[in-house]
Amino acid sequence: MFLLAAALLIQPAIEPQTDWDKEFGIEEKVRDPVTGEFPVDPYVRDNRHAGATPFSGSAMAEAFGGQDGIRRIANRTVELSEADLRIAAIFVSHDMVRLKRTLFEQFCYILNAGCYYSGRDMATSHKDLGIRMRDMNALVENLQAAMREEKIPFAAQSRFLSKLAPMSGDVITP
């Protein structure tokens, strides 16, 4: 009994853990239970924010395998980019669930596969990311790899990339 009391007296007091987020007023982000996305500030949704006018007709959507094929390409592009050491750091602090959804919507809208684009405009969504031309080139390489994996014909890939290319001015930091 004496040893137990002595041990308790000798043992240093355990201080409670400091909640640093609370100390500095940082609120924990909670994902939406339905979408799995983090909340964002409100903004006006408009298909024009997709950055390009859609193709006419259904040929491009069909060449890309419809919405299922387009979704696989968008998701794979993000996966490849997250794993790409040249650009992975750009994606670290971003909501990948939201990115995959909005990239799919953008591709789907531009390919005229029956989608609406609900994301922000290109300039706003890429503001302050510090994206350089070499970063954009790496992303395009990853998109091309994803399209090759889906066996998208080269001509269709080129037509799609020609729709996306003019957006680089809104994405790249001068």
Side-chain angles (χ1 to χ4, degrees), residues 9-169:
L9 289 174
I10 296 172
Q11 182 177 2
I14 299 174
E15 294 185 30
Q17 291 281 353
T18 302
D19 183 345
W20 291 109
D21 286 345
K22 186 176 178 181
E23 286 288 321
F24 289 102
I26 298 171
E27 294 182 34
E28 181 180 344
K29 290 183 179 180
V30 178
R31 290 187 180 274
D32 181 286
V34 176
T35 66
E37 296 177 13
F38 289 122
V40 296
D41 292 335
Y43 61 94
V44 176
R45 291 180 165 100
D46 190 324
N47 280 331
R48 290 177 293 184
H49 292 170
T53 58
F55 287 97
S56 58
S58 61
M60 286 296 287
E62 290 168 8
F64 277 73
Q67 289 188 9
D68 290 339
I70 295 166
R71 186 178 310 280
R72 286 190 300 271
I73 290 167
N75 288 346
R76 186 67 176 139
T77 300
V78 172
E79 291 166 0
L80 291 169
S81 297
E82 284 181 290
D84 188 333
L85 296 177
R86 298 173 296 174
I87 59 174
I90 295 169
F91 297 91
V92 169
S93 63
H94 295 282
D95 183 348
M96 292 298 104
V97 175
R98 180 177 176 76
L99 176 60
K100 286 179 180 180
R101 178 183 58 80
T102 56
L103 191 63
F104 159 72
E105 288 175 357
Q106 181 188 35
F107 289 0
C108 185
Y109 172 74
I110 293 170
L111 290 165
N112 199 21
C115 298
Y116 294 97
Y117 178 68
S118 69
R120 289 186 167 88
D121 65 273
M122 295 300 103
T124 301
S125 60
H126 296 88
K127 184 182 177 206
D128 300 327
L129 292 181
I131 296 175
R132 300 158 299 184
M133 180 59 82
R134 66 178 173 235
D135 303 324
M136 180 61 79
N137 290 341
L139 178 69
V140 170
E141 288 174 21
N142 294 333
L143 171 57
Q144 289 173 310
M147 290 189 291
R148 280 192 307 273
E149 287 177 13
E150 285 293 315
K151 300 185 181 5
I152 306 303
F154 184 76
Q157 290 182 38
S158 296
R159 289 187 67 204
F160 184 50
L161 291 172
S162 73
K163 283 277 193 179
L164 300 177
M167 290 180 220
S168 64

